[in-house]
Amino acid sequence: NNGNDKKGGKMNALKQTQKRIMTWLLIVDAIIIGVSFIAIKEPRPFVLGLVFGSAISGLNFMELSNTLSRAVQMQSDKAQSFTVIKYFIRYIVTAVVLYVSIVAPYINVLGTILGLVIIKIIILIGNFLGDKRFFRNILRRKEDESSGQ
């Protein structure tokens, strides 16, 4: 019973993390869309690219989570081949998205690339801001440099 509680708690924490990252993805996209309507003369292709890239990036992120959740329950050899196959599928999907973005005149490639990358930036910033040790280490290094150590 205790094992199930731990597993349920981890799954709940995983879902909360997914929800937080996806929420930030929507917020950042909304901000970029708002700025693009002010800064770009014809924002529609850029916005379509951004939404297209972000949607696929979000789906790839959710699929990665599902893949890893399933893989940890498998035997190691099956888990390895399973995750490698899923990894290549996600990259093929990303390649198709970039190809479509390049050939479709109504989708801006830079918007698509930005949409594909935003979720990674959100995850990195979230980890940096959430890790108090990261900031302590930066401050410690600055103090060490200034004291001549």
Side-chain angles (χ1 to χ4, degrees):
N1 199 12
N2 192 18
N4 287 339
D5 291 344
K6 282 184 180 180
K7 185 178 175 184
K10 287 179 183 179
M11 291 304 286
N12 192 31
L14 179 64
K15 293 290 183 195
Q16 289 296 327
T17 301
Q18 287 175 339
K19 184 177 179 181
R20 186 181 73 246
I21 290 169
M22 296 302 284
T23 300
W24 274 108
L25 178 64
L26 293 173
I27 291 168
V28 172
D29 273 359
I31 292 168
I32 293 172
I33 288 169
V35 169
S36 71
F37 275 102
I38 296 167
I40 301 173
K41 191 179 264 189
E42 179 54 45
R44 190 166 188 246
F46 178 82
V47 169
L48 285 174
L50 180 73
V51 170
F52 186 41
S54 292
I56 296 303
S57 180
L59 290 172
N60 273 343
F61 173 70
M62 299 301 281
E63 177 57 25
L64 174 62
S65 174
N66 292 337
T67 298
L68 295 177
S69 294
R70 288 178 58 194
V72 297
Q73 298 173 356
M74 296 178 179
Q75 295 175 358
S76 63
D77 56 335
K78 286 185 180 181
Q80 184 176 3
S81 59
F82 176 74
T83 54
V84 167
I85 289 168
K86 291 292 196 162
Y87 174 83
F88 281 111
I89 290 171
R90 285 192 308 277
Y91 270 95
I92 290 168
V93 167
T94 301
V96 169
V97 166
L98 287 171
Y99 176 77
V100 168
S101 180
I102 289 167
V103 299
Y106 54 90
I107 299 176
N108 181 284
V109 178
L110 294 177
T112 303
I113 292 170
L114 183 60
L116 289 168
V117 171
I118 286 174
I119 200 163
K120 293 162 182 60
I121 295 168
I122 290 168
I123 292 168
L124 285 172
I125 290 172
N127 283 334
F128 287 147
L129 294 178
D131 187 359
K132 293 177 176 82
R133 292 173 300 170
F134 175 77
F135 291 107
R136 277 193 223 124
N137 288 338
I138 289 174
L139 294 174
R140 211 174 273 138
R141 283 188 209 122
K142 296 269 184 205
E143 290 169 358
D144 291 347
E145 289 173 7
S146 63
S147 66
Q149 292 181 0

